[in-house]
Amino acid sequence: MNRVLALVNLTGLIVGVSYGLHGPVLPIFAKNVIGATYTELGIIGFASFVPYMFIPLFVGVLLDRFSNARLLAVGAAVNSASVYLLSLAHTVPEITGFRIMTGVAHAFFWPPCESIIANESHGRDRIKNISRFTMFFVIGFMTGPLLGAAFLEGTDSAYRMLFQITAFILAACIVTALLGSGSRRMVRHGRFSLGSITAMRKFPEVVVLLVFCTSSFGIILTIYPAFLNDRGMTTVDILLLYFVFGIARTVSLAFAGRLAARTGHTLIAATAAISAGLAISIMADSIASFAAALILMGFGFSIFFPLTLEIILSRTGKNISGKMIGAYETVFGLGWMIGPVIGGPVTMLGDWIPYAVFCVAGVGVTALAIRSRKKLEPQDSHYV
């Protein structure tokens, strides 16, 4: 592993720790301390993800013109500020505004990392390197809840202190990103256009899978912790469950290279596992049953990312790779927005309804993946 890839992986690890440290407890803080309803939790989730529908398109153009590592440093700085401000929040609108900042910051984190890895990889090594980066992020996300559980008391001041600690951890990414600023600078002179997002129309099956997986994932990140709390799980229980979730994701990513040999079959298994996990969540009544659900979903939510990205990039010229990464991440943002927007309000019909709705959708998407299996394979030609 070269120096640049090592620094990107270290950055992913630090960001993962920070997300795992505060992400699962934010809905609990909003519900129990601020007094947010499920609908308001959906709005907070929407605010987190809606910038990701648009900002990656602009970042994609910047990736083809400027140092990716310096763009990454910008994202780390904004992210750190947004999380610190959560420690000062006392109302739902304040939290919503700060999560918009987080969404913008994330658009300056993930696409630059993907672009750096793609430019530092050769041929099918890209799957391995992107999976390894994602695994470092997930290991951090898995470790974060354990660190949070070690001192979190569930009080107002404890939550706010947790957000402040997270902000300082995120600030460390500015250093690791700048240390990698020697990564190659792009010299292309592209300009913003919607051509890259319309190019995603060439991959309708991939887009459907992405929207389903990311919208379901959006619910698990924004609403599911509050659902667990209402089902009798304590804050520490929830953090431990997300630790198990992280283990499942890490193990899946460790085998991503082997699973890529049969990408179509693996993606079918991923959508089926997500649907099964959602179904178990509806009936679960113990920490063990919720752990089983999260293990299944952890596999599905992890493995679909590097494989679908490879399908896109294997059919994309290197001269427009940054724009296509931006378009790909924009589809992510669309899915992440759909999840909370649907999941929050429909809880008025029952707290289990969002998981039933997406479980049924997942069955349909799995059927589509089975029918379109041959289209869910990367091109044999290498990334050039």
Side-chain angles (χ1 to χ4, degrees):
M1 186 189 306
N2 66 33
R3 172 178 171 273
V4 173
L5 290 177
L7 286 168
V8 171
N9 289 338
L10 178 59
T11 302
L13 178 67
I14 295 171
V15 173
V17 169
S18 67
Y19 280 24
L21 195 60
H22 84 284
V25 303
L26 177 58
I28 310 303
F29 169 75
K31 183 173 75 75
N32 293 347
V33 176
I34 305 299
T37 64
Y38 272 104
T39 298
E40 288 172 329
L41 290 178
I43 293 172
I44 292 170
F46 171 83
S48 302
F49 299 137
V50 71
Y52 216 72
M53 286 183 59
F54 309 103
I55 304 300
L57 288 174
F58 293 94
V59 174
V61 173
L62 297 177
L63 292 176
D64 287 336
R65 302 188 66 183
F66 300 103
S67 166
N68 297 169
R70 292 178 183 175
L71 293 175
L72 179 56
V74 170
V78 176
N79 212 344
S80 177
S82 70
V83 176
Y84 185 86
L85 288 170
L86 287 175
S87 69
L88 307 177
H90 291 278
T91 66
V92 169
E94 287 177 335
I95 294 177
T96 302
F98 300 147
R99 296 311 278 175
I100 290 174
M101 286 180 62
T102 302
V104 173
H106 196 69
F108 279 86
F109 162 62
W110 208 267
C113 288
E114 290 172 342
S115 183
I116 292 170
I117 294 168
N119 287 317
E120 295 292 330
S121 302
H122 302 282
R124 295 298 291 272
D125 284 346
R126 183 175 54 224
I127 290 181
K128 180 182 69 177
N129 290 334
I130 288 178
S131 298
R132 182 180 292 154
F133 161 73
T134 309
M135 185 171 68
F136 272 91
F137 173 83
V138 170
I139 289 172
F141 194 91
M142 174 181 67
T143 306
L146 284 184
L147 297 175
F151 75 92
L152 187 62
E153 302 170 355
T155 62
D156 186 345
S157 59
Y159 284 119
R160 297 182 189 279
M161 180 64 71
L162 188 66
F163 297 147
Q164 292 174 3
I165 292 171
T166 300
F168 287 115
I169 292 174
L170 271 170
C173 293
I174 301 172
V175 177
T176 59
L178 291 177
L179 286 174
S181 61
S183 61
R184 69 188 71 175
R185 179 190 297 267
M186 299 293 102
V187 294
R188 305 165 199 138
H189 298 287
R191 57 188 177 83
F192 175 76
S193 75
L194 295 178
S196 56
I197 192 65
T198 57
M200 291 293 290
R201 292 185 300 178
K202 296 188 298 184
F203 312 100
E205 296 82 9
V206 174
V207 170
V208 171
L209 261 69
L210 278 176
V211 171
F212 165 69
C213 291
T214 52
S215 58
S216 302
F217 200 6
I219 288 179
I220 299 305
L221 293 176
T222 60
I223 297 174
Y224 199 69
F227 171 72
L228 292 172
N229 189 232
D230 284 345
R231 290 296 176 97
M233 300 296 107
T234 66
T235 302
V236 173
D237 289 338
I238 293 167
L239 290 171
L240 292 175
L241 283 170
Y242 275 85
F243 172 71
V244 172
F245 183 56
I247 292 176
R249 297 184 67 198
T250 302
V251 172
S252 302
L253 289 164
F255 289 96
R258 295 182 183 179
L259 293 172
R262 305 189 73 180
T263 298
H265 289 91
T266 302
L267 290 174
I268 292 168
T271 56
I274 293 170
S275 297
L278 292 168
I280 293 173
S281 297
I282 297 171
M283 302 174 287
D285 59 0
S286 67
I287 192 169
S289 52
F290 281 120
L294 284 168
I295 287 172
L296 285 169
M297 291 189 287
F299 163 73
F301 289 141
S302 297
I303 205 65
F304 86 91
F305 163 65
L307 300 189
T308 52
L309 181 60
E310 176 62 21
I311 294 171
I312 301 296
L313 291 182
S314 69
R315 293 172 168 82
T316 299
K318 194 170 184 178
N319 63 314
I320 61 167
S321 62
K323 295 183 183 68
M324 286 304 295
I325 287 173
Y328 176 87
E329 294 297 329
T330 293
V331 176
F332 256 71
L334 175 64
W336 274 338
M337 182 200 71
I338 289 173
V341 165
I342 294 177
V346 300
T347 53
M348 292 185 293
L349 304 175
D351 61 1
W352 56 273
I353 293 293
Y355 314 104
V357 169
F358 282 91
C359 176
V360 173
V363 172
V365 172
T366 302
L368 172 66
I370 293 172
R371 190 180 66 180
S372 308
R373 181 179 57 81
K374 293 183 178 179
K375 297 180 181 179
L376 296 175
E377 297 288 346
Q379 245 181 17
D380 291 333
S381 59
H382 293 336
Y383 178 72
V384 293

